[in-house]
Amino acid sequence: MSDTTMTAERRHHLSEEATKKVFKRLIPFLLLMYVIAFLDRSNVAFAQQEFEIDFGISAASYAFGAGLFFIGYAVFEVPSNLMLHRVGARWWLARIMVSWGIVAACFMFIQGPTSFYILRFLLGVTEAGFFPGVILYLTYWVPARHLSRARGYFYAGIAIAGILGNPLSGALLEMHGIANLRGIQWMFLIEGLLAVAVGIWSFFYLTDKPRDAKKWMPADEREALAQTIEAEEQAKSEGHAPGSVMKALVNWRVWYFSAIYFCIQIAVYGVTFFLPTQVVAITGQKLGFQASLVTAIPWVFGLLAVAYFPGLADRTRKHRLIGCCLMLATATGIIASGVFQANPVLAIGGLSLAVMGFVSMQPIYWTLPTEYLTGYAAAAGIGLINSIGNLGGFLAPNMRDYFKETIGGNAGLYSLAVGAVVAAILFGLTAFFKKANEIEAGHLDAVDAKIIPH
């Protein structure tokens, strides 16, 4: 066996050992951050009824305000991601989390539609860059062959927020009257301050790049992992990836990826922002801790799905087929939750199928754009994709309310299924794209030979 092969094999082994440490140390903490992020952006669903009764925030005003988060998010997404790439993830992610936690806590002072609109917009501004920042951050630490699995664990935050966060929100509502505060005030205050505390912790816990991980990774593993990531970045830059920020922002593939993500988010937030009230309508329960336990059921199935399907996609390399099937499952589940609304078991089953589809699809989706972009182009491109895509979160509640009021029945709910079907079609058509990065485990030796001195 030649020295070149020995060197390549050793680097591969050390890189794999380093990746295991990354999965043990960084992924759980990023998951915790995302649980809190999703909780703080979606807990307004538990306040919808009280907003309407006490402050005159109508269903249409609620839908508009819920969606305003994504306008602020979209405007500041790209510059925020560029700042993360420039100053480092540790400092920037901490800044994002502390600032959004402060705004989230201020929701306890809402007095009517205007204050609701302003705070929802500011929450989007302060949280802008968090999600695409983490997606970018993962590319600094995780080799391409493990990225879908890493994103899958991160996306489990959505499901965990539903499983643990919804009952937490429901329990906090039961604190109504303590210290003369309403239940929703306790919910916003405690969940906002939780984000501030974890944000401060993140500054001391996270590490910017593999070569900086001197306290928790041996030197040879740090170097092997850094070289693996650098090799993949070089392969992208030599392929068809946009080479600059401006080229990434005007590249048609980046906008195509944005369209796919836009349609996915229509399903995600069209379901999420109305899930508690939909469960109440299905079961006839009062919104509180008991109803929140039922609300958690679809997220349990979502967690099981995201633990399985992204890894399956990595192992089989059938990302498009699996992703398309998951989005069609989402559409089917959304429709079923409306058709069988009179049967609580079947209706909750439909919602569970919908959540399974869109939660586990999203880490699979990100396989494409992160293989196509690198460097500052990745920071800008991922930011733009998430920015434009999340405008689907603005459209979804307003679209659902519009069709419900104009057509009636479950038309608003069914409109979300259309978004999921379009996402499946667009994702399937990416089979005609030529990816910039074709690196898989089988090509590792060729990459090693280019970057390791012999």
Side-chain angles (χ1 to χ4, degrees):
M1 185 177 292
S2 68
D3 291 340
T4 300
T5 304
M6 286 289 291
T7 304
E9 288 182 350
R10 176 167 173 74
R11 200 205 76 153
H12 177 60
H13 172 73
L14 290 172
S15 176
E16 289 293 292
E17 291 301 310
T19 301
K20 291 177 183 177
K21 291 182 173 63
V22 171
F23 270 78
K24 289 180 180 179
R25 179 178 174 86
L26 294 183
I27 302 299
F29 194 84
L30 295 172
L31 171 61
L32 172 64
M33 296 173 76
Y34 193 38
V35 168
I36 298 171
F38 202 80
L39 184 63
D40 282 336
R41 72 171 66 170
S42 61
N43 59 8
V44 292
F46 283 88
Q48 181 185 356
Q49 290 182 342
E50 190 165 334
F51 280 167
E52 183 170 2
I53 294 170
D54 293 348
F55 305 124
I57 299 175
S58 66
S61 296
Y62 169 77
F64 180 72
L68 270 179
F69 168 89
F70 298 99
I71 300 298
Y73 201 78
V75 170
F76 291 92
E77 191 87 311
V78 173
S80 180
N81 227 32
L82 290 173
M83 281 297 296
L84 181 144
H85 189 69
R86 178 182 293 273
V87 306
R90 184 171 67 100
W91 187 89
W92 196 246
L93 289 177
R95 192 284 305 162
I96 290 173
M97 198 165 191
V98 170
S99 60
W100 104 52
I102 293 171
V103 173
C106 287
F107 272 72
M108 66 183 293
F109 301 115
I110 285 175
Q111 294 296 316
T114 301
S115 55
F116 179 51
Y117 296 159
I118 291 172
L119 285 173
R120 284 298 292 182
F121 179 79
L122 288 178
L123 185 64
V125 170
T126 51
E127 195 181 317
F130 170 72
F131 177 84
V134 173
I135 294 296
L136 180 65
Y137 183 58
L138 289 173
T139 67
Y140 300 162
W141 284 95
V142 181
R145 58 186 173 271
H146 298 300
L147 263 176
S148 284
R149 185 163 57 95
R151 295 189 202 102
Y153 290 143
F154 177 61
Y155 262 104
I158 300 178
I160 293 174
I163 296 169
L164 302 180
N166 284 348
L168 172 63
S169 296
L172 292 174
L173 293 180
E174 305 288 345
M175 295 177 65
H176 186 85
I178 298 177
N180 292 321
L181 294 177
R182 300 189 309 278
I184 60 171
Q185 288 182 302
W186 279 114
M187 178 184 71
F188 289 130
L189 176 63
I190 292 176
E191 292 177 356
L193 292 180
L194 181 62
V196 173
V198 175
I200 294 172
W201 182 16
S202 71
F203 178 79
F204 300 98
Y205 188 86
L206 296 178
T207 309
D208 283 332
K209 296 287 184 70
R211 289 192 175 96
D212 300 323
K214 297 178 181 178
K215 294 182 179 180
W216 53 277
M217 189 181 293
D220 54 354
E221 292 181 9
R222 294 199 306 269
E223 187 60 28
L225 181 60
Q227 289 185 358
T228 298
I229 301 298
E230 289 164 0
E232 294 177 349
E233 293 295 295
Q234 183 180 355
K236 296 178 199 176
S237 63
E238 291 175 355
H240 297 269
S244 68
V245 170
M246 287 308 300
K247 287 182 179 179
L249 294 181
V250 300
N251 186 274
W252 72 268
R253 288 183 176 87
V254 172
W255 285 88
Y256 188 91
F257 294 144
S258 300
I260 300 173
Y261 202 56
F262 179 88
C263 293
I264 294 173
Q265 298 312 304
I266 288 175
V268 173
Y269 289 104
V271 171
T272 301
F273 283 144
F274 295 90
L275 186 57
T277 53
Q278 188 171 353
V279 167
V280 167
I282 291 170
T283 63
Q285 293 174 303
K286 178 185 175 182
L287 188 58
F289 179 70
Q290 192 172 15
S292 70
L293 294 177
V294 180
T295 305
I297 292 173
W299 299 111
V300 172
F301 286 97
L303 182 62
L304 295 174
V306 80
Y308 176 71
F309 286 109
L312 177 66
D314 275 350
R315 292 192 301 272
T316 62
R317 309 306 298 171
K318 302 289 186 182
H319 293 87
R320 289 181 182 84
L321 176 61
I322 293 172
C324 290
C325 290
L326 289 171
M327 287 315 297
L328 293 176
T330 292
T332 302
I334 290 172
I335 294 171
S337 71
V339 171
F340 300 111
Q341 188 169 352
N343 186 317
V345 174
L346 293 179
I348 297 298
L351 288 172
S352 299
L353 181 60
V355 171
M356 289 174 66
F358 67 63
V359 171
S360 54
M361 162 57 172
Q362 292 179 87
I364 295 173
Y365 158 81
W366 281 107
T367 301
L368 270 68
T370 52
E371 285 184 341
Y372 182 72
L373 301 165
T374 183
Y376 273 104
I382 292 171
L384 179 65
I385 290 168
N386 199 59
S387 176
I388 300 300
N390 269 291
L391 289 177
F394 173 77
L395 176 64
N398 292 283
M399 181 175 72
R400 179 169 177 165
D401 182 71
Y402 173 79
F403 284 111
K404 178 182 177 182
E405 294 299 322
T406 56
I407 299 177
N410 289 316
L413 184 64
Y414 298 152
S415 68
L416 307 176
V418 175
V421 172
V422 173
I425 294 171
L426 294 177
F427 192 68
L429 291 176
T430 59
F432 297 102
F433 286 16
K434 184 175 182 181
K435 292 189 294 185
N437 179 18
E438 297 291 347
I439 297 177
E440 299 176 11
H443 302 110
L444 186 62
D445 288 352
V447 174
D448 285 332
K450 293 178 63 176
I451 67 168
I452 297 181
H454 306 129

